[in-house]
Amino acid sequence: MRSDQNVLPDDILSLSNAASSGKRPHFFDNPDVDRLLAIVLAMAGELAVTRERLDTVERLLETRRVLERELIENYRPDATAARERGAWQLEYIARLLRILQQEAEQMQRGATEPAAEDVSRELASK
Amino acid sequence: MSVKEAAVACAPPWTDVGQHGLSAEARHDDAARFNFLANLNKHMSARVVGGNAIAYESRAREAYRRRTGHDPLDRREIRDAMQGDPYYQMWSSLRRSAMEMRQQAGRSLVLRQAEKLSERAQALSAVSPGTLRLDPSVEIPRYQSAVDNHCMPGSYFAEYIEGDVSAAANYDSGMFATTTGLFGRYLDGAGAGVARWLKALRPDWQPRRILDLGAGLGHNTVPLGRAYPEAEIFAVDVAAPMLRYGHARALSLGASNIVFQQANAERLFFENQSFDFIYSTMFLHETSYSALRNILREADRLLAPGGLHIHLEQPPYHGMSEFEKFLRDWDCYNNNEPFWTTVHDTHMPTLLKELGFQGDRVFETEIHALVETAMPKVAEAVEDFGRGGMWYAFGSERAA
């Protein structure tokens, strides 16, 4: 792989992502929703890219007689593999939904915890 | 088929895009990004856009009536009614993001090889240097410089390096995905459709000089070059990167009878009555009120006796429902197409008569894209507001 295709220099990356001139419209009452949706759609795009790449790998493996794709469709994990995969799924989901866990923890502890900003003011004079 | 039949035909894979001497070198994920975007466009035009009408009929109109005491009367009031509707907001936000992602995908593909593309363009152009005529004194008009056209960062004319062609390479790389193959593998369905139309209208006619206005990278000029190999063809545009790229691309495709000329189509230096055939494809909506008139006046001046001119555009609004006009206006306000709405409100035959063209037979017609057998045809696809392979056309024919 040539370096110009492997490593995108920072200036080319930011040029690729450049905004067009002309004020960007927002459609939701809160522009944060547009912002979040743009990120979600970009993620969906990159997920599709990854899925297509995986599909390419599977097809090439089949062409080279390394693997039959039907084996993937009919794959049944043994007990160890199933446990490992289940554990991975749980860890993955916990990472994704970390914010909910943290919110629940804070609710549990009650509204008594000070904000760092308040503590900062306190420590500055005490 | 072993898999269940899809209700919406998928877009042709981006790897089907026609290769020429200046095609950017795409890797796996570059193509996959365009595949996602092409099918996202398919889904949005086939499955999502229709929900706007449902939202309007089922709640947005009623909400507007409660607020104002009357139903929306025209497309502007419909827009006012719809802007607060969550479905319209979601559709619009996704659509705008998809436009931006298309630009990102094209730019991340071509900018990393900008220098290589520029060198290849120079090498290809060296075969016929006299037919690339750049003129640095040509200024970018306000209607091109005010906002970047259809959210294309840097528009048609930004240059990042000496001899840059990246704006054109980006345009060329992404259009196949945006149009889901409806313009053909070489994006030349409109030009090929014009050539077919002209041959049918005048079977044995041999135009000596042909002028393509706002030709961009010449994707719709090459089919005329092929159809009339004896003719001298001029592809005119203000943007140097488009012309550099177009010149090299055309030569690599074997079209050597095209001069790529940097000039403003409002003020051309050609002699009176010096062209037999003048045309433009999806150019006029990227101009302005006064530029449209100047360009057509120039066509009138340049058209030779016995000649004709034709201009392809998205369908005019005349006769459409106010709701459809509102939907089609989306690009004007949200995809940086600021003259879109005005041009589609203009009655072109009346304008031609106002401007001159005395004695000409003024006509309106419909031009269908002529594309490769394997590419989708417009009749089979849902039109995505101007991105379908079918155009309104108008022009006039001059007595010999």
Side-chain angles (χ1 to χ4, degrees):
Chain A
M1 205 177 268
R2 289 194 302 277
S3 63
D4 64 340
Q5 286 163 335
N6 199 11
V7 182
L8 217 52
D10 282 350
D11 57 339
I12 294 207
L13 182 61
S14 53
L15 262 187
S16 299
N17 292 345
S20 58
S21 71
K23 189 171 187 268
R24 191 188 197 277
H26 66 84
F27 302 95
F28 292 97
D29 301 335
N30 181 348
D32 284 344
V33 180
D34 292 273
R35 202 173 280 138
L36 199 59
L37 202 59
I39 295 171
V40 169
L41 195 64
M43 279 178 60
E46 292 305 305
L47 176 62
V49 168
T50 306
R51 176 65 181 75
E52 191 160 302
R53 198 173 180 97
L54 184 61
D55 181 78
T56 303
V57 170
E58 288 176 13
R59 285 173 195 272
L60 287 175
L61 288 176
E62 190 165 63
T63 307
R64 305 224 165 160
R65 300 185 190 286
V66 178
L67 169 79
E68 290 164 46
R69 280 189 298 157
E70 269 310 291
L71 286 176
I72 295 174
E73 299 305 336
N74 298 318
Y75 175 74
R76 297 208 41 174
D78 62 22
T80 310
R83 248 192 336 272
E84 285 172 3
R85 285 150 63 107
W88 183 88
Q89 292 280 7
L90 285 172
E91 186 184 323
Y92 173 70
I93 293 162
R95 281 174 193 269
L96 276 187
L97 301 184
R98 168 189 49 80
I99 191 71
L100 295 177
Q101 176 198 320
Q102 293 184 345
E103 196 172 330
E105 281 177 19
Q106 294 215 310
M107 286 190 293
Q108 189 97 51
R109 292 200 292 262
T112 54
E113 291 182 20
E117 198 172 325
D118 299 330
V119 178
S120 166
R121 272 193 290 274
E122 177 194 328
L123 298 184
S125 57
K126 277 189 189 169
Chain B
M1 284 171 82
S2 57
V3 291
K4 72 173 189 291
E5 198 83 37
V8 179
C10 68
W14 187 82
T15 40
D16 274 2
V17 77
Q19 295 296 304
H20 52 73
L22 209 45
S23 295
E25 285 174 28
R27 297 179 66 79
H28 183 281
D29 293 357
D30 299 313
R33 274 185 196 105
F34 283 130
N35 288 339
F36 170 75
L37 290 168
N39 286 299
L40 177 64
N41 288 343
K42 279 265 182 193
H43 179 86
M44 293 282 283
S45 58
R47 291 265 174 83
V48 182
V49 68
N52 286 304
I54 299 170
Y56 180 64
E57 296 295 338
S58 68
R59 62 191 186 197
R61 180 164 54 189
E62 174 65 28
Y64 182 90
R65 192 189 306 137
R66 277 199 303 273
R67 178 155 59 90
T68 65
H70 65 87
D71 274 4
L73 295 173
D74 59 21
R75 65 188 202 248
R76 286 175 184 86
E77 291 187 1
I78 294 175
R79 183 164 177 247
D80 185 11
M82 288 294 280
Q83 275 177 330
D85 188 88
Y87 191 93
Y88 173 75
Q89 292 172 340
M90 180 65 100
W91 172 71
S92 297
S93 193
L94 288 173
R95 191 165 154 91
R96 169 78 189 205
S97 283
M99 306 285 177
E100 292 171 351
M101 284 167 67
R102 172 264 168 269
Q103 294 303 325
Q104 201 282 342
R107 290 167 68 82
S108 63
L109 164 64
V110 305
L111 288 174
R112 66 170 190 250
Q113 48 191 311
E115 284 172 1
K116 203 187 298 174
L117 288 169
S118 164
E119 285 161 17
R120 257 160 64 203
Q122 282 171 45
L124 285 163
S125 286
V127 176
S128 176
T131 50
L132 176 60
R133 299 180 190 166
L134 299 182
D135 177 359
S137 74
V138 172
E139 287 174 19
I140 302 298
R142 166 80 181 156
Y143 50 84
Q144 282 289 321
S145 65
V147 295
D148 284 340
N149 238 288
H150 37 74
C151 298
M152 200 162 59
S155 192
Y156 298 106
F157 42 81
E159 298 188 38
Y160 300 114
I161 55 170
E162 184 81 19
D164 198 1
V165 295
S166 59
N170 170 42
Y171 185 90
D172 195 17
S173 74
M175 200 194 239
F176 189 77
T178 317
T179 58
T180 62
L182 288 166
F183 289 12
R185 297 181 64 213
Y186 287 89
L187 316 170
D188 61 356
V194 167
R196 172 174 60 183
W197 170 83
L198 189 54
K199 294 256 177 186
L201 185 73
R202 295 183 172 188
D204 301 315
W205 192 52
Q206 185 54 247
R208 289 156 302 163
R209 299 220 320 164
I210 295 174
L211 178 59
D212 183 356
L213 300 167
L217 61 87
H219 47 300
N220 288 314
T221 324
V222 171
L224 272 293
R226 290 213 177 104
Y228 297 101
E230 305 300 315
E232 186 184 18
I233 302 180
F234 283 81
V236 162
D237 203 277
V238 291
M242 303 299 278
L243 295 162
R244 284 188 199 109
Y245 185 93
H247 182 248
R249 177 186 180 276
L251 288 171
S252 83
L253 290 170
S256 54
N257 55 339
I258 305 171
V259 174
F260 286 82
Q261 173 72 54
Q262 189 171 17
N264 184 329
E266 295 179 68
R267 294 175 294 276
L268 294 166
F269 54 81
F270 303 115
E271 286 177 23
N272 291 354
Q273 306 189 341
S274 57
F275 286 93
D276 303 306
F277 184 58
I278 300 172
Y279 73 109
S280 68
T281 54
M282 286 72 75
F283 166 54
L284 299 177
H285 72 265
E286 295 188 0
T287 64
S288 72
Y289 181 92
S290 58
L292 170 65
R293 282 152 180 81
N294 292 339
I295 290 162
L296 292 174
R297 275 192 204 101
E298 277 295 77
D300 190 10
R301 180 180 73 78
L302 294 171
L303 196 60
L308 72 158
H309 68 118
I310 186 169
H311 308 276
L312 275 58
E313 268 301 329
Q314 284 79 30
Y317 285 168
H318 178 73
M320 285 180 187
S321 75
E322 290 301 312
F323 188 83
E324 183 164 2
K325 292 178 196 172
F326 146 73
L327 272 186
R328 286 175 184 268
D329 267 359
W330 191 93
D331 282 272
C332 182
Y333 305 116
N334 303 308
N335 193 27
N336 286 0
E337 299 270 19
F339 190 49
W340 182 277
T341 217
T342 311
V343 87
H344 295 137
D345 267 339
T346 306
H347 189 252
M348 294 299 180
T350 306
L351 180 61
L352 288 188
K353 283 170 192 156
E354 279 170 18
L355 293 176
F357 297 95
Q358 284 93 352
D360 284 15
R361 181 183 73 86
V362 172
F363 62 83
E364 292 176 288
T365 187
E366 203 172 78
I367 299 283
H368 286 234
L370 177 58
V371 301
E372 296 85 352
T373 317
M375 288 294 112
K377 310 294 178 291
V378 69
E380 298 160 11
V382 180
E383 197 208 342
D384 181 21
F385 303 106
R387 289 163 192 83
M390 189 172 72
W391 300 274
Y392 163 80
F394 71 95
S396 71
E397 201 172 2
R398 186 152 292 179

